Amino acid sequence: MLVRNFMFADRAKIIIRSGKGGDGHVSFRREKYVPDGGPDGGDGGRGGDVIFEVDEGLNTLIDYHHRRKFAATNGENGGKRRCHGADGKDIVLKVPEGTVIKEAASGQVIADMSGSNRRQVVLKGGRGGNGNMHYATSTMQAPKYAQPGQEAKELEVLLELKVIADVGLVGYPNVGKSTLLSRVTNATPKIANYHFTTLTPNLGVVDLNDGRGFVIADIPGLIEGASQGVGLGHEFLRHIERTKVIIHLVDAASTEGRDPVEDVYKINSELAAYNADLEKRPQVIAANKVDAIYREEGTEDPVELLKKEFEPKGVRVFPISAVSGEGLSDLLYYVREMLDALPSGTVVYEQEYFPEEHMADNNLPYTVEISEEDEHVFIVEGPKIEKMLGYTNLDSEKGFQFFQNFLKDTGILKELEEKGIQDGDTVKMYGLQFDYYK
């Protein structure tokens, strides 16, 4: 018999790309009886955005395991007669609530799709370029340049699903977490006596009689070394980061031969190693399987040992039986009181990475042409160049250096070199001319 292994997809790495802005158009009015028509090149369309949106029907990132790249469409170029190019289509990527979008290389947060944040533009499409109709001036009535569309932006992002729950249920495998969850909530997790039976963080809602319920997540079994990648537990540690209270479930009966006091310390050290803040998270210990405790005469009650060790540190211990229901009411109402004492609202991660700042683009309209009369003469024109020449003192060394840096930063020098300019060739700009030397 073949059994398919379903793994919970809570991480995915994808490449997203916004649409390029359409280029502005260069054209001139050509009408009967109008021999010298003005510029009428239209603007390019805006490129499409990359948008992430919460879909309530999703609880996994599996869709992003089958496809790697997602792109919005480009804006169309402008046309003659002031025709505006069509805007590119946005691409909307649906994700489960609780998905954190990070810049893959740095791990910095771009967006947290939680709380009130249901839809966010992560990459904006490129601006459409202006057509040449925008650049007519009293001194330049027939501009031969238009603005290119802003380039597309491409980014590799890491998607991480961190489930949204008020309470996280942690502990070693087989301590009874799935049994407890099924007993106190409407969740129906699969239960069997195998380590790592639970391969997904199961969520359930605890309904208390006073109507003040809460959401609880069964975090799959952790083992010593989980924070370093041992076993499967480390795959799910991220799901406890949003929880406000931790219920630490231990096997008080030691049915697998482990010491429940040591279990608490070992699991807490794994939580702290993964995220130091988890060590400070309010915690309560549920000493499970009290119905199965067998104690030889003269030995101390394991529940009392847990209380002596942890209650002086402010951590309450509740003896329970997930199977019979013993002690569960006291535990759950105490957890509710703990939640009431804490700030309400979902834990939401602040944005750390701003794509617009990291991927700034400065498309300035200009043209670089070789003179028809002399192949050693290059003509550079553009509205920004014309404006800069008007206020820059090229006679001063500082002003001339500033202008050279401008030519370099805008890519004009690079384009001159690509067109084959050589040392000693001439560059003309609006009545001024310069000799080129590298």
Side-chain angles (χ1 to χ4, degrees):
M1 180 178 71
L2 295 176
V3 179
R4 187 175 175 189
N5 182 20
F6 288 94
M7 280 299 291
F8 179 67
D10 60 355
R11 279 169 67 95
K13 194 178 281 188
I14 62 173
I15 295 171
I16 56 175
R17 186 179 188 275
S18 63
K20 176 188 178 300
D23 295 337
H25 189 69
V26 176
S27 62
F28 300 90
R29 251 171 52 221
R30 292 291 178 261
E31 297 178 24
K32 201 172 182 180
Y33 309 119
V34 186
D36 297 312
D40 71 349
D43 301 340
R46 179 189 63 82
D49 298 336
V50 179
I51 301 168
F52 282 82
E53 187 174 85
V54 171
D55 185 333
E56 306 289 351
L58 296 177
N59 58 11
T60 174
L61 295 169
I62 192 67
D63 290 346
Y64 299 100
H65 281 223
H66 304 306
R67 186 176 158 196
R68 171 92 169 124
K69 193 166 184 177
F70 299 83
T73 61
N74 297 333
E76 290 185 0
N77 296 337
K80 298 177 180 179
R81 299 180 182 176
R82 299 177 176 253
C83 286
H84 194 292
D87 291 341
K89 289 184 179 178
D90 300 335
I91 185 170
V92 180
L93 304 179
K94 302 292 184 74
V95 292
E97 183 177 9
T99 300
V100 179
I101 304 159
K102 297 180 177 181
E103 197 273 322
S106 65
Q108 291 182 310
V109 174
I110 300 172
D112 184 353
M113 307 306 294
S114 307
S116 61
N117 189 24
R118 318 306 285 177
R119 180 182 172 93
Q120 182 164 335
V121 177
V122 169
L123 280 187
K124 289 185 177 178
R127 292 187 311 273
N130 289 331
N132 71 331
M133 63 180 179
H134 293 276
Y135 300 115
T137 66
S138 58
T139 57
M140 177 59 62
Q141 296 182 14
K144 298 175 185 175
Y145 43 78
Q147 188 179 32
Q150 192 178 34
E151 290 299 319
K153 295 180 175 65
E154 187 169 282
L155 188 63
E156 185 175 40
V157 295
L158 175 65
L159 308 181
E160 284 189 345
L161 177 58
K162 299 175 189 284
V163 299
I164 295 179
D166 302 302
V167 177
L169 189 57
V170 303
Y172 268 79
N174 293 336
V175 294
K177 296 193 304 300
S178 295
T179 303
L180 175 62
L181 190 74
S182 64
R183 179 92 191 187
V184 302
T185 76
N186 55 0
T188 54
K190 295 177 182 177
I191 302 169
N193 190 31
Y194 298 105
H195 285 193
F196 303 117
T197 296
T198 306
L199 294 181
T200 69
N202 290 303
L203 289 176
V205 178
V206 175
D207 290 319
L208 300 178
N209 291 335
D210 58 6
R212 297 180 305 139
F214 54 85
V215 178
I216 187 170
D218 162 20
I219 308 302
L222 303 179
I223 61 171
E224 196 172 3
S227 59
Q228 280 76 47
V230 178
L232 293 177
H234 75 288
E235 292 290 340
F236 305 100
L237 276 163
R238 73 182 62 88
H239 294 295
I240 204 167
E241 290 185 274
R242 290 194 203 273
T243 59
K244 299 171 186 174
V245 171
I246 295 172
I247 297 178
H248 198 136
L249 200 65
V250 294
D251 177 1
S254 301
T255 56
E256 294 195 350
R258 291 194 312 273
D259 180 346
V261 172
E262 282 186 20
D263 278 5
V264 174
Y265 281 120
K266 286 177 180 177
I267 296 301
N268 278 342
S269 69
E270 292 306 317
L271 296 176
Y274 177 76
N275 182 339
D277 290 340
L278 293 179
E279 197 173 18
K280 305 167 191 170
R281 204 68 48 93
Q283 189 173 126
V284 60
I285 294 171
N288 192 27
K289 304 187 182 181
V290 292
D291 53 321
I293 292 176
Y294 172 75
R295 198 158 51 92
E296 294 183 1
E297 191 174 341
T299 60
E300 195 164 0
D301 181 355
V303 174
E304 290 304 312
L305 288 172
L306 284 163
K307 287 184 175 183
K308 282 182 182 179
E309 184 68 26
F310 295 105
E311 290 198 341
K313 299 174 182 178
V315 180
R316 285 283 303 274
V317 177
F318 287 84
I320 67 163
S321 169
V323 172
S324 70
E326 179 186 345
L328 292 183
S329 179
D330 290 343
L331 170 68
L332 297 177
Y333 277 99
Y334 179 75
V335 169
R336 180 66 262 178
E337 290 174 10
M338 293 175 74
L339 290 170
D340 289 341
L342 297 170
S344 60
T346 302
V347 176
V348 178
Y349 295 91
E350 295 293 324
Q351 186 170 2
E352 303 167 320
Y353 184 95
F354 297 83
E356 292 300 310
E357 292 180 9
H358 286 81
M359 308 169 77
D361 185 27
N362 211 3
N363 273 335
L364 300 174
Y366 63 85
T367 58
V368 177
E369 296 179 351
I370 301 173
S371 171
E372 294 179 0
E373 289 82 21
D374 187 344
E375 63 179 14
H376 296 290
V377 175
F378 294 77
I379 301 168
V380 179
E381 293 180 339
K384 188 85 172 180
I385 300 166
E386 185 180 19
K387 185 177 180 182
M388 180 164 282
L389 286 171
Y391 64 70
T392 304
N393 181 10
L394 299 179
D395 292 330
S396 75
E397 185 178 344
K398 189 174 182 181
F400 192 71
Q401 184 64 49
F402 175 74
F403 187 62
Q404 282 188 309
N405 289 337
F406 163 76
L407 296 179
K408 182 179 178 181
D409 293 342
T410 53
I412 292 172
L413 286 181
K414 183 179 179 183
E415 189 161 339
L416 283 166
E417 290 167 3
E418 288 174 352
K419 287 187 178 289
I421 195 169
Q422 301 294 321
D423 284 356
D425 287 349
T426 300
V427 179
K428 287 188 174 182
M429 300 182 190
Y430 296 99
L432 298 173
Q433 64 180 46
F434 310 89
D435 293 332
Y436 173 85
Y437 290 98
K438 193 166 184 178

